[in-house]
Amino acid sequence: NMIDERGLNGTVKLNGPTKNIGQEYSDSSILVMSSHYEGFPMVMVEAMACGLPAVTFDYKCGPRDIIIDGENGLIVPDGDIDGLAEAMVRLMKDDDLRKRMGEKAKKVVETYSKEKVMSKWLQLYEETVADKSGDKD
């Protein structure tokens, strides 16, 4: 209703849920995260793994752990709506920059792939078991 009320129905479209998120990422050019908090921004990692540079607020717990600002995405101060819009426009207007950042964004899988994460969990489990078996309390 807000879109219609503001006369934005030719400009703004809200997509419904999808069962093929990979296709949605493939059909997209950038990911914009307007959240002010995420426990772990899995959507960001998924999108970047598909080659999308991210534009995001600098909220607690996430973006700076995943994005190298200016290299594989853009981070703006939390709550800076104008800054978020400017970062989006910057990537929308500069095809070369967007493509370079998208290529670098794919490298996120080197840190967050299932294999990498599972090996860290297994290592933690093995270390914990070894510590407990060495405990004689």
Side-chain angles (χ1 to χ4, degrees):
N1 288 337
M2 289 173 64
I3 292 169
D4 290 335
E5 289 169 9
R6 290 168 172 81
L8 298 172
N9 44 2
T11 309
V12 176
K13 178 184 173 193
L14 299 178
N15 295 323
T18 182
K19 292 183 184 211
N20 191 352
I21 193 65
Q23 185 62 49
E24 294 297 325
Y25 290 143
S26 294
D27 292 343
S28 301
S29 300
I30 62 175
L31 173 79
V32 178
M33 298 267 314
S34 58
S35 301
H36 296 288
Y37 180 81
E38 296 279 338
F40 180 81
M42 194 63 186
V43 136
M44 182 184 295
V45 172
E46 291 172 348
M48 290 176 74
C50 291
L52 298 181
V55 176
T56 182
F57 286 131
D58 190 12
Y59 56 84
K60 183 179 178 182
C61 300
R64 290 211 178 268
D65 296 326
I66 300 167
I67 295 174
I68 301 168
D69 187 33
E71 187 172 317
N72 59 5
L74 299 172
I75 301 173
V76 299
D78 194 17
D80 182 358
I81 295 170
D82 290 337
L84 189 72
E86 288 167 11
M88 291 166 58
V89 169
R90 179 177 169 200
L91 285 182
M92 287 187 279
K93 284 186 172 182
D94 191 336
D95 290 341
D96 291 335
L97 177 64
R98 188 176 63 249
K99 288 174 185 173
R100 274 194 317 272
M101 284 187 174
E103 283 304 310
K104 290 180 180 178
K106 290 179 186 178
K107 293 182 179 185
V108 75
V109 297
E110 294 172 6
T111 304
Y112 296 105
S113 70
K114 180 173 73 172
E115 294 77 20
K116 285 279 192 177
V117 172
M118 287 307 297
S119 74
K120 288 181 180 184
W121 275 111
L122 288 171
Q123 180 183 355
L124 176 63
Y125 173 77
E126 290 167 0
E127 290 170 1
T128 302
V129 169
D131 287 347
K132 290 291 181 190
S133 65
D135 245 350
K136 300 296 181 196
D137 291 339

